Amino acid sequence: LASSSGNDYYEYTFKGVKFEIHASLASNHGNFTVHLDCNYHTTVNTNNPTQILPTKVYISDEIEYGEHTIKVQGISGSIFGHQLNQND
């Protein structure tokens, strides 16, 4: 997902104990929020003076095994691009 709108988001449901987010970094990129099971989890900054193609920008702590839903949402005025991986 790539976005510059605070309205753009994606959701991903997985079964496991951990997840990580990979994103490209660049000087014109900004922040996005991460919600875990409908609760605010963290904000991730993808701003960097030099461009770095997809790299790991966030890895969660271990959570209880089960089905979880991640929602990743852009913050208005921030450009971001990322992907999500789960760890069983």
Side-chain angles (χ1 to χ4, degrees):
L1 173 68
S3 175
S4 60
S5 166
N7 298 322
D8 294 332
Y9 69 91
Y10 74 85
E11 291 183 339
Y12 179 77
T13 299
F14 71 97
K15 190 175 280 189
V17 297
K18 202 172 231 189
F19 66 95
E20 59 187 45
I21 299 173
H22 292 228
S24 59
L25 307 177
S27 61
N28 65 336
H29 287 196
N31 299 328
F32 60 87
T33 60
V34 179
H35 290 76
L36 174 63
D37 299 329
C38 298
N39 296 306
Y40 171 80
H41 189 66
T42 192
T43 298
V44 177
N45 181 358
T46 60
N47 185 269
N48 197 63
T50 56
Q51 183 176 18
I52 300 173
L53 295 179
T55 187
K56 189 183 321 175
V57 295
Y58 181 77
I59 187 163
S60 72
D61 291 333
E62 193 165 307
I63 54 180
E64 182 178 334
Y65 177 80
E67 187 171 286
H68 300 282
T69 300
I70 303 302
K71 179 179 179 181
V72 176
Q73 184 165 8
I75 295 175
S76 184
S78 293
I79 296 173
F80 64 94
H82 49 76
Q83 66 188 44
L84 177 72
N85 295 325
Q86 80 177 61
N87 297 332
D88 291 328

